[in-house]
Amino acid sequence: MMVGTWVDRRNLRLECQSHLGHLPAHLRRRTRYHLIGWFKREGVAVIREERSMSSDTLKLDEDIRGRKEEGKPDEGKESGVQRERRYVGADRPRPEAPDKVTGKTLYIHDLTRPGMLWGKIKHSEHAHARIKSIDTSRAEALDGVRAVLTGYNTPEVRIGFLRDNFALKRDKVRQYRDEVAAVAAISPEIAQQAVDLIEVEYEPLPAVFDPVEALEPSAPLIHERDALGRPREDNVLAMECGHESGDLAAARERARWIAEGNYRVPVIQQACMGTAGCIAEFDARGNLTFTGKTQIPFLAQKDFNQALKAMGLIGNNARVVVPALGGAFGTGLDTHCYEYITILLAHRTGRPVKMLMSREEEFAYLSPRQSARVHIEQGIDEDGRLTHRKIHVLQDNGAYASWGATFPTVMLLPVTSLYKVPVVHYTSQCVYTNNTYCQAMRGYGNPEVTWAIECNLDELAEQSGLDALELRKRNCNEPGEVTPMGGKVTSCGLMECLEVTGKQLAWEEKRPASQAARASDSVRKRGVGLASLIHVGGSGRIYRSDASGIILKVDDFGNVNVSYGGVEMGQGLHAALSAAIADGLGVTPDKVFINATDTATCPWDVGTHASRGAFMACNAALLSIAKIRERLLAFCAEGFAELLRKNIQTLSKKDASFEPPTIDIDAACRPDNFDILDNQVFLRDQAHEPWARVELGKVLRAMHFRQGGDMLTEPAFYDPPSDLPDWRRGIGNMSATYTYGTQGVEIEVDTETGVVTILRMVSALDCGTVLNPKALQGQVIGGIAQGVGYALYEEVKMQEGRITNPSFTDYKIPTAHEMNFPIHLHYADTYDPEGPFGSKGAGEPGLVPTAPAIMNAITNACGIRIRSLPITPEKVLAALKQR
Amino acid sequence: MQADYHQPDTLEEAQALLAECPDAVLTAGGTDLLVQRRASGAQGPLISLRGIAELRGIHESHDLMIGAGTTLTEILDSARMQGDYPALIQSIEVLGSHQIRNVATLGGNLCNASPGADTAAPLIVYGARLKACSAGGGDSGACRTIAITDFFEGPGRTSLRPGEILRGILLDPPSPRLRSGFQRLGRIQMDIAIASLAVAFEWDGGQARQVRVAAGSVAPVPLRLQATEEMLEATALDPETLNKAATVAAAEVSPIDDIRASAAYRRELIAVFLRRAIRAALEAHGEAGGGTA
């Protein structure tokens, strides 16, 4: 099976132009924003395809049905669901797309409340300093100001999973963005004016900005005490994640070639099109409703409930509502100081308070993706098989602990399981500094360490003379394998991904030709390179519960109302979920209505991360659907015959030529003879008879409006078959299945300017069944765009802890110009036994191997190796000169 | 961001308004100005020149005048400009985005006086003159012509006097022997230039005459490189001369380290750009410099 598309270079620009008129007004105004980013992040497909995918998609569907019949074990959760598949796998537009492209979607930026106030924050002007005094008197005296808060006139609200951060800081600041005071006022302008009137006196402290220096015994302590008040002695976080399997000394003996190196990745920004913001409002009983940008409504509810308790609101509840999101990419995985401050302001004033981040504020004050320094050593034996992999990761955590501190736990999977490697030694260390503290971003941990693993593999290939593709094939993962961390490989299409990528790149011809041409005196040199990925494909268990709950409610009109606690943030979750429900239940997708994510109405979900959205939501929905179908068909066994008789009566009246059926209707209404399709319940053995089918809503009404009536509302709770790893030992099958992929790229290096131009790319992905080719294409190409940014352009620059490029003028992400190259997409022919309809998670993988693939191609072109991202023209030119 | 906003219909009205409130800031496309004001929080009054028809359009008499309020897209779309001033066209093609070019004006790009103003270097090598008018002037009265090399005084500073409005950009009609070209690099395409360079020269029987070279983003103002010009004057633009001139050019600029690139890298780019701009200018006419392979 092959689903292929080429991005047409000429049309991309035109398409972008022609979409302009449909941009929401607030985006049309912002002409400096990157259009491609908007399209990418909103998932509007702008990439015209050279040929339609529909025929391939159909073929895919047939393949899978064929294979299922050949004896794919029926897991039960899909029982009664294996019928004609019309919407899963079909190239359908997303249900939310019309509202988005016509500007009707309401983001946090659009929402308002009667009597609402605006919040603004006063941030630290030092990287590390004692707060000597805060004078808020001038701010309080300003007309229109309703509250001025500091750490000294509010309850202490501790935040973060290590409880090392505070909503408002007291005593000292540890980074430039630290929140020292906040204002609520009747307009954002007045709030900002008031913030500017707040005077803070500081006593600067010695600061540390380099994680290696922060490890020195003489380094200033960022936190003098831990959350329990015990004195701390160093800046190392109390986090342990590592792995040790096999005899390293023996493996080194066995190795014929060993390559080692230090690799670095910078801090980068998630750069969501929709900036962050929230509205907090209290009812008269002290219960909070929080509307804001989050990917973890239920964990946020828990965090906010803890805050309410700290505020003296014992027993009160936080309800979390998620508005439409313009991308999240991990920014919504933790709760943030600004959110707690908004809650404090709303509570103090008794009015709804809104806080909205401008682009520049988001760059300066929110948590970006964490940097990493990776030391790696890998060896191969005489046959090119990996003997060992030894990795140490040092992380600059910044001033407080958020999910950046947990990157090593995500790295565990690629470190132990990308390719077959028998001996793995992995250690990690996370250190406090006075830099900005960091958070999650798409695939977090994985691209950072895959950069090191895949570049280092090419160095091994170079050393040994073995072809880099062949080296990877010899160590390729395969189904049935149990990886050193205990990862159970169920489906695995990595070999196919490698082979297709090689073929599409014309690897066998171009790789040696480019290498041979390195010495030529041509200014522009071309090269090909590739890199692979492994990622969690069946969610990733990082909490005791890794579940997703769902409620399906079928109403009197045959509509399916869905309450799901996961978050649609532009990734296409609703497209996948509505198709799964439509096919699973037998309705058309327009009958599926997915409610806003709301902790009050949706069942618990751990959060939308780890590429788990579609995998979890669809699996939960299939469990619910199985129950609905069972109950519906049980009712039909009693009540369908009567409905059919009414049908026959009506048809006889309407049409004189109608001949009533002669069969025994009661006998035909046996439980195994019902099915649902196209919003109709019908008798299987009379499927073509108009009298033998009844509209679903009618059946529901018959079930409802009777003595002892009932309706179909079915909750389901799906917790995937995976283990919570022992992080210290790095052991545990953390996902129900794993996604694989390979990306290949052909580039051209301008050896006079150092500029790297991408000529074309190949992405081969093993994510099982493709649920929606168009949505997946958006995910993959969007991921590649972020991967290209990571590889070539992006870096949050800091000078003594202060971010020096906090705007799109100074921080560059790729636009349509930089993405103006063909991308060949391929999806491996795999079917995952645990995945809904055989699919695996695909949200994050797109950006994981992009940077090393590009670097490996640059090496192929001109023999240089740069080990720190981004690969800027300056670095390339400097490396060329050193050669 | 709040400000008093005036949109006069004529140059005369604009000049009267400017006389009334001398602290007002003139705006045309606003693509640079509004971003700067948002960052600085400036709230002074704005006088928009967008509604003034006499500032727009490309007018031909004995020489060519581009109205200061002509949008970059209008210049790109002009067949005359495409044919006669390729270096200017090349600089506009890579300036901002479609949306920016649809509102940004040539006069605005110059008056903003960014060291990296993309259109400045090409206009310098074409010997552009700027026509500025003050109140009571209109087309007849208090207008003066400023050589473009005298226009830029520093980052954000021009030699326009208080009350003066840039009326238009004057260009000589090119001789058929004029060759010109432009080179630039940003971190991504839609970026302020790391460095840019324009050249123009008369190609006369295998010799370059009246060579002009100018560079952007490598000094406090868009800079004419006279030492480089002298190196190239009356030569056959052979590779050896180009290499020497490239070295001179790299030394003649005075770039700084900033968020986009280091000074050293900018110097290297200028050397590369000089060679490439000259080669491309000749190749566009199917020609090559002396001794080139």
Side-chain angles (χ1 to χ4, degrees):
Chain A
M1 182 271 297
M2 210 176 91
V3 178
T5 57
W6 288 93
V7 177
D8 186 311
R9 331 166 122 225
R10 283 149 306 153
N11 286 336
L12 183 61
R13 195 172 305 174
L14 294 175
E15 285 277 271
C16 289
Q17 286 290 298
S18 68
H19 275 79
L20 261 187
H22 303 296
L23 277 176
H26 70 280
L27 291 179
R28 264 201 310 269
R29 283 197 303 273
R30 298 177 186 183
T31 48
R32 271 192 177 252
Y33 284 6
H34 306 281
L35 199 55
I36 188 69
W38 185 80
F39 288 121
K40 181 180 83 186
R41 278 143 211 207
E42 292 301 297
V44 177
V46 294
I47 316 287
R48 186 169 294 172
E49 293 149 27
E50 261 181 15
R51 61 194 178 90
S52 157
M53 293 205 286
S54 56
S55 56
D56 284 323
T57 310
L58 278 176
K59 186 170 162 293
L60 147 79
D61 204 28
E62 283 161 13
D63 282 357
I64 285 157
R65 258 182 286 141
R67 252 179 299 150
K68 277 197 87 85
E69 280 152 25
E70 279 165 27
K72 178 248 162 194
D74 195 316
E75 299 292 315
K77 68 188 159 61
E78 283 192 39
S79 62
V81 174
Q82 288 313 309
R83 300 176 336 280
E84 190 173 352
R85 195 172 293 163
R86 300 187 166 195
Y87 307 108
V88 166
D91 219 350
R92 304 187 58 259
R94 300 164 172 220
E96 74 279 14
D99 274 2
K100 280 188 171 170
V101 297
T102 54
K104 289 182 192 295
T105 303
L106 297 180
Y107 298 90
I108 187 70
H109 311 72
D110 305 302
L111 301 180
T112 183
R113 298 283 187 272
M116 187 179 85
L117 301 174
W118 291 82
K120 281 278 176 192
I121 294 170
K122 173 87 175 173
H123 295 274
S124 164
E125 284 135 49
H126 294 271
H128 200 193
R130 296 239 168 262
I131 300 172
K132 289 179 75 182
S133 68
I134 306 177
D135 182 357
T136 57
S137 55
R138 289 172 67 209
E140 279 160 33
L142 189 69
D143 245 12
V145 171
R146 294 291 178 266
V148 182
L149 304 185
T150 69
Y152 297 97
N153 67 4
T154 50
E156 182 182 274
V157 176
R158 275 181 181 264
I159 73 168
F161 76 100
L162 293 183
R163 316 310 282 168
D164 61 358
N165 197 357
F166 306 86
L168 284 160
K169 276 54 172 182
R170 255 197 247 199
D171 304 330
K172 82 173 193 172
V173 291
R174 298 174 176 85
Q175 54 170 357
Y176 268 101
R177 52 184 266 218
D178 262 349
E179 297 79 1
V180 291
V183 172
I186 56 171
S187 76
E189 289 80 14
I190 293 173
Q192 184 59 54
Q193 236 180 309
V195 160
D196 295 340
L197 291 172
I198 296 171
E199 283 166 38
V200 187
E201 203 186 332
Y202 296 98
E203 177 196 332
L205 296 170
V208 61
F209 306 105
D210 183 286
V212 176
E213 288 170 21
L215 285 170
E216 299 284 330
S218 60
L221 274 184
I222 315 296
H223 293 269
E224 287 96 346
R225 293 180 181 279
D226 69 8
L228 299 173
R230 295 171 302 200
R232 290 182 52 95
E233 280 167 9
D234 57 30
N235 287 318
V236 180
L237 273 83
M239 300 278 299
E240 276 188 73
C241 180
H243 179 90
E244 201 172 315
S245 56
D247 182 342
L248 183 63
R252 280 173 166 160
E253 281 293 305
R254 230 177 25 255
R256 170 79 174 77
W257 291 278
I258 290 176
E260 68 166 319
N262 285 301
Y263 292 84
R264 284 194 189 197
V265 289
V267 171
I268 66 163
Q269 246 275 338
Q270 297 88 349
C272 309
M273 185 49 78
T275 53
C278 65
I279 296 173
E281 49 200 316
F282 281 90
D283 69 13
R285 293 183 297 157
N287 294 309
L288 166 71
T289 299
F290 177 93
T291 306
K293 180 177 186 176
T294 180
Q295 295 169 250
I296 45 146
F298 293 89
L299 302 186
Q301 180 188 25
K302 176 172 161 272
D303 285 353
F304 295 153
N305 278 350
Q306 240 165 358
L308 293 184
K309 204 169 151 193
M311 290 160 65
L313 299 169
I314 316 288
N316 284 92
N317 182 54
R319 171 185 177 185
V320 176
V321 183
V322 188
L325 299 187
F329 302 109
T331 53
L333 266 196
D334 204 350
T335 48
H336 303 275
C337 289
Y338 83 87
E339 297 171 331
Y340 294 92
I341 291 170
T342 311
I343 292 169
L344 285 166
L345 288 169
H347 186 244
R348 178 64 56 89
T349 57
R351 307 245 305 250
V353 176
K354 179 169 179 173
M355 186 98 70
L356 204 56
M357 294 284 161
S358 70
R359 176 63 59 193
E360 289 73 19
E361 286 170 329
E362 183 145 322
F363 266 111
Y365 306 134
L366 285 186
S367 293
R369 175 182 216 127
Q370 191 146 312
S371 64
R373 298 179 188 195
V374 182
H375 179 263
I376 183 170
E377 174 192 319
Q378 295 181 105
I380 50 172
D381 65 15
E382 198 66 50
D383 298 326
R385 299 199 197 280
L386 281 165
T387 52
H388 66 284
R389 180 180 290 158
K390 182 177 183 302
I391 286 181
H392 177 72
V393 177
L394 177 63
Q395 298 234 275
D396 172 358
N397 182 72
Y400 303 99
S402 178
W403 301 129
T406 64
F407 275 32
T409 63
V410 184
M411 291 176 172
L412 190 57
L413 178 67
V415 165
T416 60
S417 310
L418 178 58
Y419 305 115
K420 285 184 185 162
V421 52
V423 176
V424 177
H425 275 225
Y426 170 49
T427 49
S428 65
Q429 202 166 32
C430 212
V431 194
Y432 284 121
T433 66
N434 293 110
N435 288 323
T436 189
Y437 83 90
C438 294
Q439 237 260 95
M441 181 177 166
R442 203 173 192 172
Y444 79 98
N446 195 342
E448 290 82 349
V449 80
T450 299
W451 162 244
I453 294 171
E454 283 288 3
C455 284
N456 187 255
L457 271 183
D458 258 42
E459 295 197 67
L460 265 179
E462 188 106 348
Q463 239 188 64
S464 63
L466 192 63
D467 174 70
L469 175 56
E470 180 58 28
L471 171 63
R472 287 170 173 86
K473 284 185 186 169
R474 287 194 193 170
N475 295 282
C476 188
N477 299 99
E478 56 188 0
E481 180 192 342
V482 178
T483 76
M485 76 174 286
K488 289 173 189 149
V489 182
T490 51
S491 58
C492 175
L494 183 57
M495 184 59 89
E496 180 182 332
C497 291
L498 284 166
E499 281 170 354
V500 167
T501 304
K503 195 173 150 223
Q504 286 296 332
L505 281 181
W507 180 271
E508 283 178 18
E509 166 205 337
K510 287 192 175 170
R511 180 84 171 180
S514 296
Q515 188 157 350
R518 277 181 197 173
S520 79
D521 56 3
S522 66
V523 169
R524 291 188 166 82
K525 294 198 160 66
R526 291 187 174 194
V528 291
L530 55 77
S532 297
L533 77 100
I534 182 173
H535 200 64
V536 289
S539 189
R541 190 174 295 268
I542 46 171
Y543 300 96
R544 191 58 61 192
S545 171
D546 189 34
S548 276
I550 201 166
I551 300 170
L552 299 192
K553 175 171 83 74
V554 191
D555 71 12
D556 285 340
F557 310 97
N559 299 310
V560 188
N561 296 287
V562 185
S563 295
Y564 176 61
V567 176
E568 166 66 67
M569 48 197 170
Q571 82 276 43
L573 170 64
H574 287 183
L577 182 54
S578 57
I581 291 170
D583 271 343
L585 190 53
V587 299
T588 51
D590 60 309
K591 290 286 187 187
V592 180
F593 295 89
I594 302 175
N595 296 325
T597 302
D598 181 339
T599 55
T601 59
C602 299
W604 192 86
D605 174 85
V606 74
T608 305
H609 62 185
S611 303
R612 74 197 288 276
F615 180 91
M616 296 298 295
C618 296
N619 265 346
L622 291 176
L623 287 175
S624 169
I625 285 166
K627 292 198 241 173
I628 286 174
R629 288 180 61 94
E630 193 185 324
R631 284 181 56 204
L632 184 73
L633 301 185
F635 166 76
C636 286
E638 299 167 32
F640 202 64
E642 197 185 324
L643 291 170
L644 291 183
R645 286 195 186 91
K646 280 187 194 157
N647 246 4
I648 292 164
Q649 257 180 20
T650 314
L651 285 167
S652 304
K653 271 188 210 160
K654 270 191 189 161
D655 181 0
S657 64
F658 175 73
E659 285 178 29
T662 51
I663 63 156
D664 180 345
I665 289 176
D666 291 305
C669 287
R670 52 181 201 277
D672 67 347
N673 197 26
F674 296 113
D675 208 343
I676 315 168
L677 197 64
D678 284 345
N679 314 317
Q680 289 184 322
V681 185
F682 61 96
L683 295 178
R684 276 176 198 262
D685 62 2
Q686 306 290 328
H688 300 294
E689 297 294 339
W691 62 264
R693 47 183 59 242
V694 180
E695 189 247 318
L696 179 62
K698 206 168 181 178
V699 180
L700 266 293
R701 291 197 290 277
M703 196 175 165
H704 175 190
F705 296 101
R706 60 172 172 151
Q707 196 69 36
D710 200 1
M711 290 196 73
L712 290 177
T713 302
E714 282 294 350
F717 202 64
Y718 173 72
D719 201 4
S722 57
D723 312 326
L724 182 65
D726 171 343
W727 301 117
R728 188 185 300 244
R729 291 171 54 232
I731 299 286
N733 184 34
M734 69 186 297
S735 183
T737 180
Y738 300 93
T739 294
Y740 296 86
T742 303
Q743 284 179 10
V745 61
E746 181 171 14
I747 55 90
E748 184 176 270
V749 182
D750 180 333
T751 57
E752 286 184 343
T753 62
V755 171
V756 174
T757 307
I758 298 171
L759 302 175
R760 59 203 197 93
M761 279 195 72
V762 182
S763 162
L765 187 62
D766 160 31
C767 59
T769 304
V770 175
L771 295 175
N772 182 322
K774 189 141 272 170
L776 181 58
Q777 182 186 351
Q779 284 286 59
V780 175
I781 294 176
I784 288 173
Q786 284 179 324
V788 167
Y790 201 34
L792 300 177
Y793 310 115
E794 298 187 37
E795 178 173 17
V796 172
K797 296 197 174 183
M798 282 179 267
Q799 212 165 45
E800 306 236 296
R802 190 196 282 274
I803 294 170
T804 55
N805 57 343
S807 70
F808 276 135
T809 305
D810 291 328
Y811 183 97
K812 289 296 174 189
I813 62 172
T815 71
H817 293 293
E818 287 68 38
M819 291 302 291
N820 192 11
F821 52 82
I823 303 174
H824 180 83
L825 300 179
H826 176 86
Y827 302 114
D829 184 12
T830 52
Y831 185 98
D832 192 78
E834 183 61 25
F837 304 95
S839 73
K840 308 193 268 191
E844 295 162 295
L847 60 56
V848 173
T850 315
I854 290 172
M855 188 61 239
N856 290 341
I858 294 170
T859 308
N860 181 227
C862 53
I864 59 168
R865 173 68 60 183
I866 290 158
R867 295 185 181 83
S868 71
L869 292 178
I871 309 160
T872 61
E874 272 196 82
K875 288 185 195 170
V876 171
L877 207 55
L880 281 167
K881 282 191 175 161
Q882 275 174 17
R883 203 174 31 148
Chain B
M1 188 167 71
Q2 290 177 332
D4 287 335
Y5 180 83
H6 307 276
Q7 190 172 313
D9 296 326
T10 65
L11 197 54
E12 220 175 336
E13 275 175 48
Q15 281 159 337
L17 273 166
L18 196 53
E20 259 173 56
C21 40
D23 61 332
V25 175
L26 297 174
T27 172
T31 54
D32 280 314
L33 185 79
L34 295 183
V35 176
Q36 290 161 8
R37 279 169 71 97
R38 206 159 74 90
S40 71
Q43 296 196 335
L46 288 173
I47 299 173
S48 168
L49 306 175
R50 295 180 84 158
I52 302 176
E54 49 195 308
L55 284 181
R56 293 184 85 139
I58 299 162
H59 311 279
E60 293 176 50
S61 49
H62 63 282
D63 49 14
L64 187 88
M65 186 169 96
I66 305 166
T70 309
T71 67
L72 299 177
T73 298
E74 286 165 345
I75 297 170
L76 270 190
D77 290 347
S78 154
R80 167 83 196 267
M81 297 301 297
Q82 287 166 18
D84 288 353
Y85 306 101
L88 181 63
I89 292 293
Q90 288 158 19
S91 76
I92 294 174
E93 275 173 344
V94 292
L95 192 158
S97 61
H98 286 282
Q99 296 90 331
I100 288 170
R101 293 191 292 269
N102 285 344
V103 288
T105 65
L106 186 60
N109 193 238
L110 298 177
C111 290
N112 187 52
S114 159
D118 284 304
T119 61
L123 289 173
I124 290 173
V125 299
Y126 289 131
R129 286 154 291 131
L130 307 182
K131 186 175 174 186
C133 301
S134 51
D139 269 346
S140 51
C143 290
R144 63 183 180 121
T145 304
I146 311 165
I148 189 164
T149 41
D150 296 332
F151 186 70
F152 303 106
E153 295 192 333
R157 286 188 294 119
T158 69
S159 58
L160 281 178
R161 294 170 190 149
E164 269 186 335
I165 294 176
L166 182 64
R167 173 82 177 75
I169 294 94
L170 297 155
L171 288 170
D172 292 326
S175 89
R177 295 187 304 271
L178 185 73
R179 306 287 176 264
S180 60
F182 176 79
Q183 295 278 316
R184 153 204 227 272
L185 184 68
R187 289 164 300 171
I188 61 171
Q189 180 168 327
M190 204 165 87
D191 189 14
I192 299 167
I194 293 172
S196 67
L197 180 140
V199 294
F201 54 90
E202 300 275 332
W203 189 237
D204 188 5
Q207 270 211 339
R209 304 258 180 214
Q210 295 175 44
V211 180
R212 281 191 180 132
V213 183
S217 295
V218 286
V221 294
L223 195 66
R224 187 166 162 192
L225 306 185
Q226 278 164 317
T228 309
E229 290 172 1
E230 279 163 28
M231 279 295 301
L232 295 165
E233 188 66 29
T235 69
L237 302 179
D238 53 284
E240 200 184 327
T241 307
L242 288 193
N243 285 339
K244 274 190 207 159
T247 310
V248 171
E252 197 174 4
V253 295
S254 53
I256 54 165
D257 293 329
D258 68 9
I259 205 92
R260 290 186 291 283
S262 70
Y265 181 65
R266 289 186 155 101
R267 286 186 197 276
E268 298 199 52
L269 282 184
I270 288 298
V272 174
F273 286 171
L274 183 75
R275 292 193 299 262
R276 289 189 179 179
I278 290 172
R279 260 187 254 133
L282 290 171
E283 277 162 17
H285 292 260
E287 297 154 347
T292 39

